[in-house]
Amino acid sequence: MTRPVTLPEIGALRDLLPDGRLLFLTRAVRMFAYGFLSITLALYLAQLGLSDEQIGLLLTLSLVGDALLALAITMVADRVGRRRMLLLGAGMMVLGGAVFALTSNVVLLMVGAFVGTISPSGKEVGPFLSIEQAMLAQTAPGTARTPVLAWYNLVGSLATACGALGGGWLAQALQSGGNSAEVSYRAVVITYAALSVVLALLFSRLSPAVEPVSAASTVPTRLGLHRSQKVVFRLSALFMLDSFAGGLIIQSLIAYWFFVRFGVPEGTLGSIFFGANLLAAFSALAAVRIAARIGLVNTMVFTHLPSNVLLILVPFMPNLPLAIALLLVRFSISQMDVPTRQSYIMAVVDADERSAAAGVTTIARTVGSAVSPLLTGVLLS
């Protein structure tokens, strides 16, 4: 009998240990929460009376705080315990959601944005991605690393898409039922905090197998790195520059721009970004085939450039349908560099540096994007 042909991308999932499958679930819950909040976050802050400049400043503080939190956690995660650090990160996520839900005081909101974990972009913030990448790298064979990370990113993008859809339509449905815009947006924030609690419960179920295989290194380290310091720092510099540009147009502000420019209602915004993130999800999986042919680095470069060109063209579109169409085309190739970048980093560092390496590069991206919303707020105003 002829054995059924299994696509290598699907076959890679079969080799995952139970902890690896649980990490896919934590990724889905977290990214759903991020997408759920991102569509209405800037609108919520505007309803609370913040100016465009204050919104930009608050989003910048959020990203800076997330970067510092991630740096503090990921540089010690391989020594102190990856599971403990994930639980701490989930606790900060609960804190951020609670502060935003309970107060309209600008100063308290800024403090909450800085010390809590809030995702204004709908993308990963905090220490989660870095530590989970390190865990995934040892729950599947090295040959399966790129396809596993591609599926991991696909799950995240699908969850973000569903979250954006749910958050936008929940706000619109509540307003249609007679609630004020502020009340409807606050309901979205409360749901975000509740999902953070669910995330913490899931992290508590991870086994000791996700901790570093070898004992902590006695080699002197800088930010948790030893042998791979130079290559990680060079990569971080490149990622920081790229992320600064990307931070100018985070998802919350793109949604806000569509609302201001074309008057798009919240439910429709959710639908737009549902489709956009859906396309982004499958672009990550397509990257596996491309990387197999041209290599990880070439895939990062030659898919990222046209993606950014397409995004540049969006604000020049004369009407809403064309702007949406170009945005969707852009998202269809926007995530091809993500699993290849993650796989490359995991491949070039030692096992006991993986959390720290992923953390440093992720933090560099966060810092690069942190200043950008402040500049965007000024430009929008």
Side-chain angles (χ1 to χ4, degrees), residues 10-321:
I10 296 175
L13 295 179
R14 296 178 178 174
D15 296 327
L16 275 177
L17 299 174
D19 283 318
R21 299 187 183 99
L22 182 56
L23 290 173
F24 271 64
L25 181 57
T26 61
R27 168 79 164 175
V29 171
R30 186 171 64 255
M31 297 309 294
F32 180 89
Y34 289 163
F36 197 82
L37 180 65
S38 66
I39 296 301
T40 59
L41 178 58
L43 300 176
Y44 174 58
L45 297 174
Q47 281 293 317
L48 294 181
L50 275 69
S51 66
D52 289 341
E53 293 91 340
Q54 288 175 324
I55 292 173
L57 175 60
L58 191 145
L59 298 183
T60 288
L61 287 173
S62 174
L63 292 169
V64 170
D66 291 337
L68 293 175
L69 173 67
L71 178 61
I73 288 179
T74 56
M75 67 186 292
V76 301
D78 287 339
R79 298 193 303 274
V80 175
R82 292 170 176 173
R83 291 174 296 166
R84 290 179 181 176
M85 295 299 98
L86 286 176
L87 285 169
L88 177 60
M92 302 305 289
M93 190 172 167
V94 174
L95 175 64
V99 170
F100 272 62
L102 295 175
T103 184
S104 59
N105 182 279
V106 175
V107 175
L108 291 178
L109 285 171
M110 290 185 177
V111 172
F114 186 77
V115 302
T117 300
I118 292 288
S119 175
S121 63
K123 296 181 180 179
E124 279 282 12
V125 294
F128 308 108
L129 176 64
S130 305
I131 299 175
E132 286 185 352
Q133 284 179 50
M135 291 175 169
L136 282 171
Q138 65 189 53
T139 61
T143 55
R145 186 181 299 126
T146 302
V148 164
L149 288 170
W151 280 109
Y152 174 77
N153 283 282
L154 183 147
V155 166
S157 293
L158 287 177
T160 304
C162 293
L165 185 68
W169 280 107
L170 173 62
Q172 186 164 326
L174 289 173
Q175 291 178 49
S176 298
N179 294 284
S180 68
E182 181 180 334
V183 168
S184 69
Y185 299 152
R186 182 171 283 113
V188 173
V189 178
I190 292 171
T191 304
Y192 175 85
L195 289 168
S196 305
V197 175
V198 173
L199 182 64
L201 293 174
L202 291 173
F203 283 144
S204 70
R205 297 181 63 84
L206 289 168
S207 79
V210 298
E211 302 297 348
V213 175
S214 59
S217 174
T218 58
V219 178
T221 66
R222 183 187 301 174
L223 301 179
L225 300 168
H226 45 88
R227 183 188 63 83
S228 308
Q229 286 183 20
K230 290 183 179 180
V231 65
V232 171
F233 291 159
R234 285 198 298 268
L235 289 171
S236 296
L238 290 172
F239 295 161
M240 183 180 292
L241 177 62
D242 171 63
S243 193
F244 172 79
L248 292 168
I249 33 78
I250 57 178
Q251 185 161 295
S252 291
L253 293 176
I254 296 176
Y256 186 57
W257 180 81
F258 271 101
F259 180 83
V260 172
R261 175 70 176 81
F262 297 111
V264 181
E266 295 87 346
T268 305
L269 284 173
S271 298
I272 292 170
F273 285 95
F274 171 77
N277 285 291
L278 197 66
L279 291 171
F282 288 99
S283 76
L285 193 60
V288 178
R289 295 297 181 91
I290 297 175
R293 290 179 175 273
I294 66 175
L296 295 172
V297 175
N298 287 335
T299 304
M300 285 187 264
V301 174
F302 295 120
T303 61
H304 200 53
L305 288 174
S307 170
N308 286 327
V309 170
L310 289 167
L311 187 59
I312 289 171
L313 295 175
V314 170
F316 293 100
M317 295 299 100
N319 55 55
L320 178 61

Side-chain angles (χ1 to χ4, degrees), residues 52 56 247-250 253 371-381:
D52 289 341
L248 292 168
I249 33 78
I250 57 178
L253 293 176
V371 181
S372 307
L374 180 60
L375 178 58
T376 304
V378 173
L379 294 174
L380 282 173
S381 68

